[in-house]
Amino acid sequence: MVIAIDGPAGTGKSTISAIIAKKLGITYLNSGSFYRALTLALNETDISTEDANRVAEFCRAQKLDYENSRLVLNGVDVEDRLHEDAVSSRVALVSSIVDVRHFVNERMREITKSLSIVCEGRDMTTVVFPNADYKFYLDASIEVQAERRYKQGVSNLTLEEIREAIKKRDEIDRNKSEGALYRAKDAIYIDTSALTIDEVCEIIISKIHS
């Protein structure tokens, strides 16, 4: 069984997906972790994100694994470093490179082909798992998105800076030549702005059970 969840940053996708996976006793997959890990590795080099060919070549040389819902890069668990500001500032550009997306999608499909999963990201329902058993699109106002990310305490940016960063990230994601962020026609839309995490999880679980 594949449950795919898409939506912009700050809509609760990661938290909600993890809870749903735990409730159903299946694997939770955060696609963004793959791109963030590659960006983390890229930040240790002098490769410019404007050089798409070099970026793609470098990314394909990295070894990505997913163990206990945590991202392992070249044998090292890097999950706790994935939301550093230096990563967040470049990850949208890295993930917009088509060959990098192909590499990550191939790796995710390989990792999950024998698993029941809850996967979340920007194009899970439209590109990576278009035939998912259940599809959901989570949304929220930009103000709520920024406030939620700010309260996570993983950034040194101000609330206004986070708001602008999210707007820029979402604009890049919606205009990607491949893997753009948009709602699949058969995805169930949920505006999480005024809902608690538990309320959103209840809606999703009820849809699955029905």
Side-chain angles (χ1 to χ4, degrees):
M1 177 174 65
V2 175
I3 302 168
I5 300 176
D6 281 334
T11 55
K13 297 190 308 298
S14 299
T15 301
I16 290 164
S17 296
I19 293 173
I20 296 297
K22 186 174 182 179
K23 285 180 177 292
L24 297 178
I26 61 180
T27 299
Y28 160 55
L29 178 74
N30 182 340
S31 68
S33 295
F34 288 76
Y35 294 107
R36 286 180 173 273
L38 292 174
T39 305
L40 180 67
L42 192 68
N43 283 348
E44 302 297 323
T45 75
D46 62 354
I47 300 174
S48 169
T49 50
E50 295 181 3
D51 191 339
N53 290 333
R54 283 193 70 196
V55 172
E57 182 180 5
F58 173 82
C59 288
R60 282 192 172 275
Q62 309 309 302
K63 186 175 186 295
L64 297 173
D65 293 296
Y66 205 65
E67 300 175 3
N68 300 316
S69 296
R70 294 179 67 86
L71 205 294
V72 178
L73 171 68
N74 298 323
V76 178
D77 184 329
V78 295
E79 188 70 30
D80 294 334
R81 297 192 58 197
L82 298 182
H83 287 278
E84 294 177 357
D85 290 335
V87 173
S88 295
S89 66
R90 299 181 81 193
V91 65
L93 294 173
V94 174
S95 66
S96 68
I97 298 173
V98 172
D99 198 44
V100 173
R101 299 198 70 80
H102 289 171
F103 167 62
V104 169
N105 290 347
E106 290 163 9
R107 189 72 187 107
M108 285 194 293
R109 292 187 187 112
E110 182 179 355
I111 289 172
T112 62
K113 61 185 177 183
S114 60
L115 300 172
S116 287
I117 61 170
V118 179
C119 55
E120 57 99 349
R122 300 295 199 280
D123 62 348
M124 295 297 99
T125 64
T126 56
V127 176
V128 186
F129 299 106
N131 297 315
D133 300 280
Y134 303 95
K135 297 181 181 182
F136 299 91
Y137 187 95
L138 305 188
D139 205 357
S141 68
I142 185 63
E143 290 76 15
V144 170
Q145 291 180 56
E147 184 178 357
R148 287 173 177 170
R149 184 53 56 86
Y150 181 73
K151 288 181 177 179
Q152 286 178 347
V154 297
S155 173
N156 293 318
L157 302 178
T158 66
L159 178 59
E160 181 59 28
E161 287 172 335
I162 290 175
R163 182 177 182 274
E164 291 305 310
I166 289 176
K167 285 178 64 177
K168 181 179 180 181
R169 169 79 188 272
D170 287 347
E171 182 179 357
I172 292 174
D173 284 339
R174 289 190 173 99
N175 289 284
K176 287 175 179 173
S177 59
E178 186 169 324
L181 170 64
Y182 68 93
R183 177 189 172 189
K185 291 182 179 179
D186 54 347
I188 296 171
Y189 179 88
I190 304 174
D191 187 334
T192 70
S193 299
L195 300 175
T196 66
I197 293 296
D198 288 341
E199 287 172 336
V200 178
C201 288
E202 185 177 341
I203 292 172
I204 292 175
I205 291 290
S206 67
K207 295 293 184 182
I208 293 171
H209 286 165
S210 65

